[in-house]
Every structure is written in C-alpha cells, then in structure tokens.
C-alpha cells in the first residue's frame, strides 16, 4: 500500500508542475480566446478556452499531457485557427493549471470530459461535427469522450498505454529520492503492483470498444513510447482508421505532429 501511495504521489507532482507552466496569451490568439467555466458537478467548476474566431460549427476538443495546462500548446491553437475552419475547445483538468487543487482520478476525468462535451452540445454543435484529440496522457480523456459519444473522429498523438509509463519517465526527471526509487524498483519487479498501475488510466479500456474512427500520430524518435509499445496500442483499436508514423519529432507535441494533426483536420473539413 505504501508503494502504491508513493508512486501515485509522483503522478500528483506533475499536477503541481502544471500550475507553474503557465504562459501569457500570444498576440495571434488575443481576442480569439473566450474563457469559459464548465461545471463537472453541482459543486465543482473548471476552466476552459473556447477558440473559434470563424464561428465554425466544427470543433476539436484538445486534451493536453501531464505537467502542462491549457496555455502550453498555443502553437497548435494558432496553426489550427489560421489553417483550418475548426473551432477549438481546450478544457483544463481538475486540479491542473488555474483550477483549484484537486486529486485527479478516473471519476473526476470522466466528469470533466462530460462537462466539456455537454458545453459544445448546449452551444448547438452537433456530435458528428465534434472531433477529439489528445497528446500523451491527454489521449486517455480524448478516447473517453470518443467512446462515450458518437463523435466524428478520435486522434491520438503520442499515446501512452497507461499512467505507469508516464510516471516512470516523470520520476527520472524529478531525480526522485531513494525511497521513491525503491518503490519504482519494486513496482517493476512485482507483477501484482505493476498490474495495478497498468490499469491506472489505461487507454486500451476505450480503444477496444470505441466505435469512432481512430487516427494515431507517432514519431519514430519517441523515446517514451517505443515503436513496439505504439503498435501494441494500435492493435487494440476496434475502429482504427489510419496510423501516421513520422520520421521526425520526439514525444513532445512538436511541429511535425502539429502539421500532421492540421492535415487530418483539413482532410475532414474539405474532403
């Protein structure tokens, strides 16, 4: 139990980091961002950006990775609104960014994603005009939306199979102390504990039954998700539409991935 709590704390530290990675709104986006308040539960509110300068009836819901917040991927937002006719909804997870401190869980994520989807429906956007995309950890909530609702397409960018993969990588960056190192060592060498974390935010729970067409974007240079793990995720997809393996890029949401995502959106809008 102590080991599980220790590793979970490492994951929660990524949320704390998200509070400090806030960037000012870039000039190309000023005047285009509407700050909206979502209500996942009667007593809970979260923040989101609604970016739709062209008043489009097609929307992309974009979900960011851990240790980030909605201000971190402005290069993506700029490229989408300048190159496509899509609007973008960028919801902030509970506990992340400017939202009040909170413990993230599968339940809270589900509530947060329901509120984001319902916001667009109440705005008059039809489900068939909604697309869901996530990067890294964000692929889990993106897949959650696409599995629960009949939307147009799900786009997984650098997908992580489960939270354990991300936590191992984040632990290395933290230079974690010996207690945490022992916890991760035991996790890697105890199948019982490893199974517990393999089920923690496991994306294949959704990809196995998702009826929405799925596109996957992956870079060969992704050191966090090796090609073997990537193809393992791809094979679980019930409705895999396209796999786009890029020769350039790493695990980050870099320019090659942004260009590929925009390419998909253009194909969807213009045919």
């Amino acid at each position: 139990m102590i080991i599980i709590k220790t590793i979970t704390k490492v994951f929660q530290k990524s949320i704390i980091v998200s509070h400090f990675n806030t960037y000012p709104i870039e000039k190309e986006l000023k005047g285009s961002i509407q700050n909206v308040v979502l209500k996942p539960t009667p007593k809970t509110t979260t923040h989101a950006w609604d970016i739709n300068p062209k008043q489009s009836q097609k929307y992309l819901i974009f979900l960011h990775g851990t240790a980030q917040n909605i201000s971190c991927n402005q290069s993506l937002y700029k490229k989408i609104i300048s190159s496509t006719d899509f609007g973008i909804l960028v919801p902030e997870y509970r506990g992340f960014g400017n939202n009040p401190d909170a413990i993230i869980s599968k339940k809270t994520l589900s509530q947060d994603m329901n509120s984001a989807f319902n916001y667009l429906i109440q705005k008059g956007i039809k489900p068939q005009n909604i697309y869901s995309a996530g990067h890294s950890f964000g692929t889990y909530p993106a897949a959650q939306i696409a599995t629960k609702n009949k939307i147009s397409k799900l786009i997984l960018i650098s997908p992580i199979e489960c939270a354990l993969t991300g936590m191992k990588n984040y632990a290395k960056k933290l230079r974690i102390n010996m207690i945490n190192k022992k916890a991760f060592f035991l996790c890697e060498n105890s199948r019982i504990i490893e199974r517990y974390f393999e089920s923690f935010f496991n994306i294949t729970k959704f990809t196995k039954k998702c009826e929405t067409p799925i596109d996957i974007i992956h870079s060969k240079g992704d050191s966090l998700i090796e090609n073997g793990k990537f193809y393992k995720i791809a094979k679980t997809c019930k409705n895999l539409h396209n796999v786009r393996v890029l020769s350039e890029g790493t695990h980050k949401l870099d320019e090659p991935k942004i260009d590929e995502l925009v390419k998909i959106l253009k194909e969807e809008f213009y045919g």
Side-chain angles (χ1 to χ4, degrees), residues 247-263:
S247 57
E248 297 178 288
T250 61
H251 185 71
K252 294 180 179 180
L253 186 61
D254 41 35
E255 192 172 347
K257 293 191 190 69
I258 291 174
D259 289 343
E260 199 64 31
L261 173 57
V262 169
K263 182 179 176 182

PDB file of all heavy atoms in Angstrom, residues 247-263:
ATOM      1  N   SER A 247       8.878  10.391 -39.358  1.00  0.00           N
ATOM      2  CA  SER A 247      10.326  10.184 -39.237  1.00  0.00           C
ATOM      3  C   SER A 247      10.959  11.250 -38.349  1.00  0.00           C
ATOM      4  O   SER A 247      12.041  11.057 -37.800  1.00  0.00           O
ATOM      5  CB  SER A 247      10.983  10.200 -40.620  1.00  0.00           C
ATOM      6  OG  SER A 247      10.704  11.418 -41.293  1.00  0.00           O
ATOM      7  N   GLU A 248      10.269  12.397 -38.200  1.00  0.00           N
ATOM      8  CA  GLU A 248      10.786  13.499 -37.379  1.00  0.00           C
ATOM      9  C   GLU A 248      10.007  13.595 -36.069  1.00  0.00           C
ATOM     10  O   GLU A 248       8.899  13.097 -35.954  1.00  0.00           O
ATOM     11  CB  GLU A 248      10.657  14.823 -38.127  1.00  0.00           C
ATOM     12  CG  GLU A 248      11.464  14.894 -39.405  1.00  0.00           C
ATOM     13  CD  GLU A 248      11.251  16.220 -40.114  1.00  0.00           C
ATOM     14  OE1 GLU A 248      10.160  16.415 -40.666  1.00  0.00           O
ATOM     15  OE2 GLU A 248      12.186  17.053 -40.095  1.00  0.00           O
ATOM     16  N   GLY A 249      10.630  14.262 -35.100  1.00  0.00           N
ATOM     17  CA  GLY A 249       9.937  14.537 -33.851  1.00  0.00           C
ATOM     18  C   GLY A 249      10.285  13.584 -32.729  1.00  0.00           C
ATOM     19  O   GLY A 249      10.916  12.540 -32.929  1.00  0.00           O
ATOM     20  N   THR A 250       9.837  13.953 -31.509  1.00  0.00           N
ATOM     21  CA  THR A 250      10.069  13.143 -30.313  1.00  0.00           C
ATOM     22  C   THR A 250       8.707  12.860 -29.684  1.00  0.00           C
ATOM     23  O   THR A 250       7.713  12.775 -30.386  1.00  0.00           O
ATOM     24  CB  THR A 250      10.975  13.898 -29.324  1.00  0.00           C
ATOM     25  OG1 THR A 250      10.333  15.124 -28.927  1.00  0.00           O
ATOM     26  CG2 THR A 250      12.325  14.224 -29.954  1.00  0.00           C
ATOM     27  N   HIS A 251       8.658  12.738 -28.356  1.00  0.00           N
ATOM     28  CA  HIS A 251       7.368  12.523 -27.691  1.00  0.00           C
ATOM     29  C   HIS A 251       6.581  13.828 -27.566  1.00  0.00           C
ATOM     30  O   HIS A 251       5.366  13.813 -27.425  1.00  0.00           O
ATOM     31  CB  HIS A 251       7.578  11.923 -26.295  1.00  0.00           C
ATOM     32  CG  HIS A 251       6.298  11.572 -25.600  1.00  0.00           C
ATOM     33  ND1 HIS A 251       5.500  10.514 -25.979  1.00  0.00           N
ATOM     34  CD2 HIS A 251       5.653  12.162 -24.553  1.00  0.00           C
ATOM     35  CE1 HIS A 251       4.429  10.459 -25.213  1.00  0.00           C
ATOM     36  NE2 HIS A 251       4.493  11.453 -24.337  1.00  0.00           N
ATOM     37  N   LYS A 252       7.250  14.949 -27.635  1.00  0.00           N
ATOM     38  CA  LYS A 252       6.604  16.247 -27.455  1.00  0.00           C
ATOM     39  C   LYS A 252       5.609  16.539 -28.578  1.00  0.00           C
ATOM     40  O   LYS A 252       5.674  15.953 -29.659  1.00  0.00           O
ATOM     41  CB  LYS A 252       7.657  17.357 -27.398  1.00  0.00           C
ATOM     42  CG  LYS A 252       8.567  17.296 -26.186  1.00  0.00           C
ATOM     43  CD  LYS A 252       9.577  18.429 -26.215  1.00  0.00           C
ATOM     44  CE  LYS A 252      10.489  18.389 -24.992  1.00  0.00           C
ATOM     45  NZ  LYS A 252      11.487  19.488 -25.014  1.00  0.00           N
ATOM     46  N   LEU A 253       4.732  17.483 -28.305  1.00  0.00           N
ATOM     47  CA  LEU A 253       3.815  17.954 -29.340  1.00  0.00           C
ATOM     48  C   LEU A 253       4.582  18.981 -30.170  1.00  0.00           C
ATOM     49  O   LEU A 253       4.407  20.195 -30.043  1.00  0.00           O
ATOM     50  CB  LEU A 253       2.567  18.573 -28.720  1.00  0.00           C
ATOM     51  CG  LEU A 253       1.457  18.976 -29.701  1.00  0.00           C
ATOM     52  CD1 LEU A 253       0.941  17.772 -30.475  1.00  0.00           C
ATOM     53  CD2 LEU A 253       0.318  19.665 -28.972  1.00  0.00           C
ATOM     54  N   ASP A 254       5.452  18.487 -31.037  1.00  0.00           N
ATOM     55  CA  ASP A 254       6.327  19.342 -31.828  1.00  0.00           C
ATOM     56  C   ASP A 254       5.700  19.655 -33.187  1.00  0.00           C
ATOM     57  O   ASP A 254       4.599  19.210 -33.512  1.00  0.00           O
ATOM     58  CB  ASP A 254       7.709  18.677 -31.987  1.00  0.00           C
ATOM     59  CG  ASP A 254       7.604  17.184 -32.243  1.00  0.00           C
ATOM     60  OD1 ASP A 254       6.644  16.765 -32.937  1.00  0.00           O
ATOM     61  OD2 ASP A 254       8.449  16.428 -31.744  1.00  0.00           O
ATOM     62  N   GLU A 255       6.418  20.416 -33.969  1.00  0.00           N
ATOM     63  CA  GLU A 255       5.886  20.909 -35.237  1.00  0.00           C
ATOM     64  C   GLU A 255       5.448  19.812 -36.203  1.00  0.00           C
ATOM     65  O   GLU A 255       4.381  19.935 -36.823  1.00  0.00           O
ATOM     66  CB  GLU A 255       6.912  21.831 -35.914  1.00  0.00           C
ATOM     67  CG  GLU A 255       6.329  22.599 -37.089  1.00  0.00           C
ATOM     68  CD  GLU A 255       7.277  23.650 -37.632  1.00  0.00           C
ATOM     69  OE1 GLU A 255       8.283  23.959 -36.962  1.00  0.00           O
ATOM     70  OE2 GLU A 255       7.009  24.172 -38.733  1.00  0.00           O
ATOM     71  N   PRO A 256       6.226  18.722 -36.374  1.00  0.00           N
ATOM     72  CA  PRO A 256       5.766  17.668 -37.287  1.00  0.00           C
ATOM     73  C   PRO A 256       4.403  17.081 -36.894  1.00  0.00           C
ATOM     74  O   PRO A 256       3.569  16.801 -37.765  1.00  0.00           O
ATOM     75  CB  PRO A 256       6.875  16.606 -37.177  1.00  0.00           C
ATOM     76  CG  PRO A 256       8.092  17.367 -36.783  1.00  0.00           C
ATOM     77  CD  PRO A 256       7.584  18.434 -35.858  1.00  0.00           C
ATOM     78  N   LYS A 257       4.174  16.921 -35.589  1.00  0.00           N
ATOM     79  CA  LYS A 257       2.890  16.376 -35.131  1.00  0.00           C
ATOM     80  C   LYS A 257       1.762  17.390 -35.316  1.00  0.00           C
ATOM     81  O   LYS A 257       0.643  17.034 -35.681  1.00  0.00           O
ATOM     82  CB  LYS A 257       2.978  15.935 -33.676  1.00  0.00           C
ATOM     83  CG  LYS A 257       3.894  14.745 -33.437  1.00  0.00           C
ATOM     84  CD  LYS A 257       3.711  14.209 -32.042  1.00  0.00           C
ATOM     85  CE  LYS A 257       4.778  13.197 -31.715  1.00  0.00           C
ATOM     86  NZ  LYS A 257       6.119  13.822 -31.591  1.00  0.00           N
ATOM     87  N   ILE A 258       2.058  18.650 -35.028  1.00  0.00           N
ATOM     88  CA  ILE A 258       1.057  19.700 -35.226  1.00  0.00           C
ATOM     89  C   ILE A 258       0.644  19.759 -36.693  1.00  0.00           C
ATOM     90  O   ILE A 258      -0.547  19.825 -37.020  1.00  0.00           O
ATOM     91  CB  ILE A 258       1.594  21.071 -34.755  1.00  0.00           C
ATOM     92  CG1 ILE A 258       1.733  21.088 -33.225  1.00  0.00           C
ATOM     93  CG2 ILE A 258       0.681  22.203 -35.212  1.00  0.00           C
ATOM     94  CD1 ILE A 258       2.382  22.344 -32.676  1.00  0.00           C
ATOM     95  N   ASP A 259       1.635  19.706 -37.593  1.00  0.00           N
ATOM     96  CA  ASP A 259       1.342  19.736 -39.028  1.00  0.00           C
ATOM     97  C   ASP A 259       0.490  18.546 -39.446  1.00  0.00           C
ATOM     98  O   ASP A 259      -0.422  18.677 -40.280  1.00  0.00           O
ATOM     99  CB  ASP A 259       2.642  19.751 -39.833  1.00  0.00           C
ATOM    100  CG  ASP A 259       3.382  21.079 -39.725  1.00  0.00           C
ATOM    101  OD1 ASP A 259       2.757  22.075 -39.317  1.00  0.00           O
ATOM    102  OD2 ASP A 259       4.590  21.114 -40.036  1.00  0.00           O
ATOM    103  N   GLU A 260       0.770  17.377 -38.869  1.00  0.00           N
ATOM    104  CA  GLU A 260       0.015  16.178 -39.225  1.00  0.00           C
ATOM    105  C   GLU A 260      -1.421  16.256 -38.711  1.00  0.00           C
ATOM    106  O   GLU A 260      -2.369  15.854 -39.402  1.00  0.00           O
ATOM    107  CB  GLU A 260       0.708  14.935 -38.652  1.00  0.00           C
ATOM    108  CG  GLU A 260       0.313  13.627 -39.316  1.00  0.00           C
ATOM    109  CD  GLU A 260       0.702  13.549 -40.782  1.00  0.00           C
ATOM    110  OE1 GLU A 260       1.730  14.160 -41.176  1.00  0.00           O
ATOM    111  OE2 GLU A 260      -0.024  12.885 -41.548  1.00  0.00           O
ATOM    112  N   LEU A 261      -1.595  16.793 -37.511  1.00  0.00           N
ATOM    113  CA  LEU A 261      -2.942  16.965 -36.969  1.00  0.00           C
ATOM    114  C   LEU A 261      -3.754  17.934 -37.829  1.00  0.00           C
ATOM    115  O   LEU A 261      -4.919  17.673 -38.155  1.00  0.00           O
ATOM    116  CB  LEU A 261      -2.870  17.482 -35.529  1.00  0.00           C
ATOM    117  CG  LEU A 261      -4.195  17.866 -34.869  1.00  0.00           C
ATOM    118  CD1 LEU A 261      -5.187  16.705 -34.874  1.00  0.00           C
ATOM    119  CD2 LEU A 261      -3.968  18.355 -33.450  1.00  0.00           C
ATOM    120  N   VAL A 262      -3.142  19.043 -38.219  1.00  0.00           N
ATOM    121  CA  VAL A 262      -3.807  20.021 -39.076  1.00  0.00           C
ATOM    122  C   VAL A 262      -4.167  19.393 -40.419  1.00  0.00           C
ATOM    123  O   VAL A 262      -5.247  19.649 -40.978  1.00  0.00           O
ATOM    124  CB  VAL A 262      -2.921  21.272 -39.274  1.00  0.00           C
ATOM    125  CG1 VAL A 262      -3.470  22.171 -40.379  1.00  0.00           C
ATOM    126  CG2 VAL A 262      -2.811  22.047 -37.970  1.00  0.00           C
ATOM    127  N   LYS A 263      -3.291  18.555 -40.923  1.00  0.00           N
ATOM    128  CA  LYS A 263      -3.552  17.853 -42.188  1.00  0.00           C
ATOM    129  C   LYS A 263      -4.798  16.983 -42.076  1.00  0.00           C
ATOM    130  O   LYS A 263      -5.648  16.954 -42.982  1.00  0.00           O
ATOM    131  CB  LYS A 263      -2.338  16.992 -42.548  1.00  0.00           C
ATOM    132  CG  LYS A 263      -2.467  16.242 -43.862  1.00  0.00           C
ATOM    133  CD  LYS A 263      -1.197  15.434 -44.130  1.00  0.00           C
ATOM    134  CE  LYS A 263      -1.337  14.596 -45.394  1.00  0.00           C
ATOM    135  NZ  LYS A 263      -0.115  13.766 -45.629  1.00  0.00           N
TER     136      LYS A 263
END
